[in-house]
Amino acid sequence: MRLVRTLRGRLVAIALIWCGLFLSATGFSLQTMMRNYWQEAEADSLRLQLYDLLARLEVQHSGLPAVTEPMADPRYRQPYSGYYWQLELGEQIVSRSRSLWDTNLKSHGLKSAFGDPDLFLGRGPNQEPLLIMTRNVLLPGSDRVFTLVMAKDSTALTETLRKTRIGLFLGLGFAAAGLLLGFTFQIVYGLRPLHLLRRELVRVHQGHQEGFRLRYPLEIQPLVEDINRLLHHYGELLQRARAHTGNLAHALKTPLSIMRNQLTQLPPEEQGPMLEQLDKIQRHIDYHLGKARVTGAAKVLGVSTPVRARVEYICRAFSRLYPGRELDLQVPATLAVGVEEQDFDEMVGNLLENAYKWSAGRLRVSSAELGGWISLRIEDDGPGMTEDQIARAVLRGVRLDEKVPGSGLGLNIVSDLAEAYRGSLIMGRAELGGLAASLSLPKVARVDG
């Protein structure tokens, strides 16, 4: 289940299981205790009635007992009241209460009640449920054993137990609701620092802040401080690497320019080989400087580039160089990629430059979201490439058309940059008839459009 894959889900599941088990055990125990209490109370009441009747029995001259005075409870004199007694001698009924009128109680073959050997469940004259108690007694002045049978309607007991059970379940239901609310508050409040940490991480990933600023509980704060130090360290490394790359580029540019100027003083037949070697040096420098700039670029959080805005900016520049091209831009304004802006411009700029350069008149830039990735597709209606040309195009220094200016490093740098951000560059045939380049880059949260 997806629920238990989150900390909140696990805590909720544990709380639900614990509440269920605890309240079920509590409800069962309380219900058993209350049932036993009411059953004991009913049995004691019936036992007291039996003792009261026993005290009013006297053996007559006939040798049979009789009630000397009416019982205190008038219900034993009211016909079919639900309160009955009868006195038996073997199978013979010696005497019975006025409430039985002209009927007898069945006192044999009954179902035992509450685990008490003297208590039974039976039916009365009107088929009402009865709680029956029997007791063998030996009365003064007689050597015969009589059986005294006391019975009372158990409907009140059943109703009392039902109401008690309903009240118990309602009480436990309120208790469960209270416990769950308490657990929910505890879980939400306890996990709030992690929620805030995640929100800050998103802001860092979007580039809105450079590190974590909030103070967190003692269990989390050391981890946050370590992450801040790591972010600062990698940021410094990246800035230092880029500064070295820029310094190296400037340092090599001047000597190469001087050498090219000096070549003009050589005879024409000697200039060709030297220019070829200088071009090769320039390509090597461009390639390795590009690789150095890529190193570590995708390992630092806090980068976010709006896709449509940068594509529009680059296209405006190329539309002046290559007028007459019709651009169909199908990119939402809310998309953003987790790529530094200059790296994004380098990749998309190279692909758009090739598209503008080879297009016959139409270009299309579209996007698609696939999970945590954005696929930017750039198409043109130019001559396109064969599969062999596509495979060779991403190799370093390979130029498929020597008539068009370039170093042969553009697509290779795009591919390397995309891989540095764990993305990819895939080229194929476009629907417009020319080349289609699909650039896959990591997606970040949407930006305000």
Side-chain angles (χ1 to χ4, degrees):
M1 292 177 59
R2 185 177 180 81
L3 177 67
V4 297
R5 293 179 61 186
T6 64
L7 288 177
R8 182 179 288 113
R10 292 182 180 184
L11 293 175
V12 169
I14 292 172
L16 288 175
I17 293 173
W18 170 247
C19 281
L21 292 176
F22 176 76
L23 292 178
S24 296
T26 302
F28 178 79
S29 300
L30 289 177
Q31 183 180 356
T32 302
M33 290 171 58
M34 291 182 177
R35 186 180 67 243
N36 291 340
Y37 170 79
W38 287 113
Q39 289 173 352
E40 268 309 310
E42 288 293 297
D44 287 343
S45 173
L46 200 57
R47 192 174 291 109
L48 288 174
Q49 296 290 345
L50 186 144
Y51 291 152
D52 182 42
L53 176 62
L54 190 60
R56 300 172 190 273
L57 288 176
E58 289 185 6
V59 178
Q60 304 297 315
H61 296 292
S62 61
L64 296 177
V67 178
T68 58
E69 58 182 271
M71 293 186 64
D73 194 335
R75 288 174 291 188
Y76 286 99
R77 298 189 296 275
Q78 180 183 347
Y80 307 129
S81 63
Y83 284 72
Y84 314 108
W85 65 266
Q86 70 182 21
L87 188 63
E88 301 175 357
L89 180 59
E91 298 293 332
Q92 178 187 359
I93 297 176
V94 177
S95 182
R96 61 190 175 192
S97 64
R98 181 64 175 168
S99 57
L100 279 172
W101 201 245
D102 56 355
T103 60
N104 298 323
L105 289 176
K106 180 182 178 182
S107 60
H108 301 284
L110 300 178
K111 181 181 178 182
S112 179
F114 316 151
D116 190 326
D118 294 332
L119 284 176
F120 303 92
L121 297 176
R123 291 286 174 178
N126 293 325
Q127 295 302 307
E128 69 271 31
L130 295 180
L131 180 64
I132 300 173
M133 176 177 287
T134 64
R135 182 69 58 85
N136 293 327
V137 295
L138 186 61
L139 298 175
S142 175
D143 57 355
R144 288 182 289 185
V145 177
F146 296 91
T147 301
L148 190 56
V149 180
M150 301 293 299
K152 65 182 299 185
D153 192 343
S154 62
T155 303
L157 174 61
T158 304
E159 185 66 17
T160 299
L161 291 176
R162 187 185 69 84
K163 291 180 179 179
T164 302
R165 187 164 49 249
I166 292 175
L168 176 62
F169 287 158
L170 287 176
L172 290 177
F174 283 119
L179 285 174
L180 289 178
L181 285 176
F183 278 129
T184 301
F185 175 77
Q186 176 183 336
I187 291 169
V188 172
Y189 182 74
L191 294 181
R192 179 168 173 76
L194 296 181
H195 176 69
L196 295 176
L197 182 65
R198 184 173 178 271
R199 286 177 55 185
E200 277 210 293
L201 182 61
V202 171
R203 292 185 61 80
V204 170
H205 195 267
Q206 292 176 346
H208 299 312
Q209 61 189 61
E210 295 181 354
F212 299 95
R213 300 172 182 172
L214 299 178
R215 297 293 299 178
Y216 293 93
L218 296 179
E219 294 83 359
I220 303 177
Q221 187 61 33
L223 175 63
V224 173
E225 293 174 356
D226 288 342
I227 295 177
N228 277 337
R229 283 193 290 268
L230 189 63
L231 289 173
H232 180 70
H233 174 68
Y234 272 104
E236 284 189 341
L237 287 180
L238 179 60
Q239 294 299 327
R240 199 175 302 158
R242 298 218 163 171
H244 289 329
T245 299
N247 293 338
L248 181 59
H250 286 293
L252 294 176
K253 183 184 295 185
T254 300
L256 285 175
S257 298
I258 294 173
M259 294 174 68
R260 287 183 184 278
N261 291 333
Q262 292 295 325
L263 286 178
T264 58
Q265 301 177 11
L266 296 177
E269 63 274 7
E270 296 181 8
Q271 292 182 15
M274 295 297 291
L275 285 173
E276 182 179 351
Q277 295 302 315
L278 286 177
D279 288 340
K280 185 178 294 185
I281 292 173
Q282 184 66 55
R283 286 197 297 271
H284 278 287
I285 290 173
D286 291 341
Y287 172 74
H288 288 290
L289 288 179
K291 292 287 286 185
R293 195 187 71 190
V294 169
T295 302
K299 293 182 174 64
V300 180
L301 297 174
V303 292
S304 176
T305 300
V307 177
R308 185 183 179 95
R310 298 312 302 170
V311 171
E312 289 177 340
Y313 174 80
I314 297 170
C315 287
R316 280 197 298 270
F318 284 126
S319 62
R320 299 188 186 98
L321 295 175
Y322 303 95
R325 268 62 165 180
E326 178 186 349
L327 174 64
D328 180 14
L329 184 57
Q330 302 176 4
V331 178
T334 54
L335 288 187
V337 291
V339 177
E340 288 202 347
E341 187 175 288
Q342 63 186 63
D343 291 337
F344 182 83
D345 291 351
E346 180 76 23
M347 290 183 282
V348 176
N350 273 291
L351 296 177
L352 284 173
E353 182 181 12
N354 287 334
Y356 270 95
K357 187 185 301 182
W358 297 102
S359 170
R362 293 180 58 202
L363 299 94
R364 181 164 64 202
V365 181
S366 59
S367 64
E369 297 184 56
L370 304 172
W373 298 87
I374 291 177
S375 178
L376 190 64
R377 186 176 176 85
I378 300 173
E379 304 173 79
D380 63 68
D381 61 349
M385 296 183 186
T386 64
E387 291 185 4
D388 180 63
Q389 288 175 324
I390 289 174
R392 293 174 54 217
V394 295
L395 298 178
R396 176 165 57 92
V398 174
R399 296 176 58 194
L400 301 180
D401 192 339
E402 299 289 342
K403 298 178 182 179
V404 180
S407 64
L409 295 172
L411 293 178
N412 178 260
I413 291 177
V414 173
S415 179
D416 287 343
L417 275 170
E419 290 179 1
Y421 287 98
R422 302 186 304 279
S424 62
L425 172 64
I426 300 175
M427 294 186 293
R429 199 70 181 175
E431 295 179 0
L432 299 180
L435 182 67
S438 295
L439 183 62
S440 178
L441 296 172
K443 179 181 71 172
V444 297
R446 294 179 179 272
V447 298
D448 296 332

